[in-house]
Amino acid sequence: MGYEIDDFSGPIKEDGEEVEPEKIEDEEDGRFRYYLTIKLEGSQCYIVFDTAFRHAEITYPLNIANTVSRQLETDEIEELTGESVDWESLDELEESDLKRNAALKVIDNTDPSTAHRASFNLSAYTSTALVDYRHRLAENNFPIEFQCTRSMFPYTEDVTLQYLDDRIMPVIIAGERGRRYAQYSFAIEKEDRQPAEYEIESL
């Protein structure tokens, strides 16, 4: 189908604890989840298989705060977070968290009317009749992350490659529309401002 398998994890219990496959039978609660992460031409999504259900869920996630953070320089991040950072000592996760926290401060500065417009436009670009759209909003209603999801039934006898492609591709297409909108429309307004005054200008 052209997809690249990026990661596979599980079995995982509801509390997030990963269980060794050979010890599944020792667990009192027999409900587990498996996560398959796939890539296609730079787009990434994951499929969740839950042993409590006959269906699986395809999800395209995007953390918009991470997307916004790419517009910030290291000195701006330090000023926004109030931290003096030894960047070379940070691992990838620590650096990502620091950048995201700086972007969240910029998002919090954004005028509520701009935030409402950004939320509406992102939903309009990303929602389709075939895909569920979910988002998480900051206090001012600016979208800080979204997910495009769709269910599929992978355990029936008549599953075909065409069926799988028909379920997965609409999720990727919708997610990519949302990603491109967020990337090109959520610009940080910096002109004549100090980093503490930065806000998002939704185009």
Side-chain angles (χ1 to χ4, degrees):
M1 294 174 64
Y3 300 110
E4 174 188 348
I5 296 177
D6 188 51
D7 188 33
F8 181 77
S9 57
I12 297 173
K13 296 195 293 187
E14 285 189 89
D15 62 5
E17 180 186 352
E18 190 160 1
V19 180
E20 295 181 17
E22 59 270 17
K23 295 183 178 180
I24 285 180
E25 295 182 359
D26 299 333
E27 296 291 330
E28 293 182 4
D29 183 0
R31 180 179 179 180
F32 303 99
R33 291 179 179 171
Y34 297 80
Y35 294 83
L36 175 65
T37 306
I38 60 175
K39 288 183 177 180
L40 178 65
E41 297 177 356
S43 301
Q44 185 179 69
C45 66
Y46 62 87
I47 305 173
V48 182
F49 301 88
D50 191 318
T51 57
F53 301 106
R54 292 176 59 87
H55 70 272
E57 188 169 83
I58 309 153
T59 300
Y60 183 111
L62 184 74
N63 190 307
I64 295 169
N66 286 346
T67 301
V68 170
S69 74
R70 298 188 184 108
Q71 301 175 51
L72 296 169
E73 303 294 336
T74 54
D75 60 323
E76 295 171 322
I77 292 170
E78 291 182 16
E79 187 165 340
L80 282 162
T81 59
E83 298 184 40
S84 179
V85 182
D86 179 4
W87 291 94
E88 293 185 358
S89 70
L90 300 182
D91 61 31
E92 186 175 341
L93 181 59
E94 290 172 330
E95 184 174 332
S96 177
D97 286 344
L98 191 62
K99 291 178 177 179
R100 181 167 54 252
N101 289 338
L104 287 172
K105 291 185 180 297
V106 175
I107 287 171
D108 287 341
N109 288 342
T110 300
D111 184 85
S113 63
T114 300
H116 279 286
R117 185 169 65 251
S119 182
F120 175 81
N121 288 345
L122 179 64
S123 176
Y125 268 86
T126 309
S127 300
T128 75
L130 299 176
V131 175
D132 288 331
Y133 169 77
R134 307 166 186 167
H135 62 205
R136 187 162 71 91
L137 304 176
E139 288 189 8
N140 61 0
N141 286 317
F142 195 95
I144 54 178
E145 62 182 52
F146 75 78
Q147 292 182 344
C148 294
T149 66
R150 193 179 191 192
S151 294
M152 69 175 182
F153 294 86
Y155 310 119
T156 58
E157 294 180 358
D158 57 347
V159 168
T160 64
L161 292 178
Q162 183 65 55
Y163 170 82
L164 293 175
D165 196 55
D166 286 347
R167 307 306 289 188
I168 295 171
M169 280 307 299
V171 176
I172 290 178
I173 291 170
E176 277 295 291
R177 282 171 57 89
R179 182 193 65 77
R180 287 194 297 269
Y181 178 78
Q183 180 179 348
Y184 296 114
S185 297
F186 297 163
I188 297 178
E189 179 58 57
K190 298 183 179 183
E191 189 174 356
D192 298 326
R193 300 177 188 227
Q194 296 299 313
E197 302 170 321
Y198 287 175
E199 61 181 317
I200 303 294
E201 179 185 29
S202 181
L203 305 177

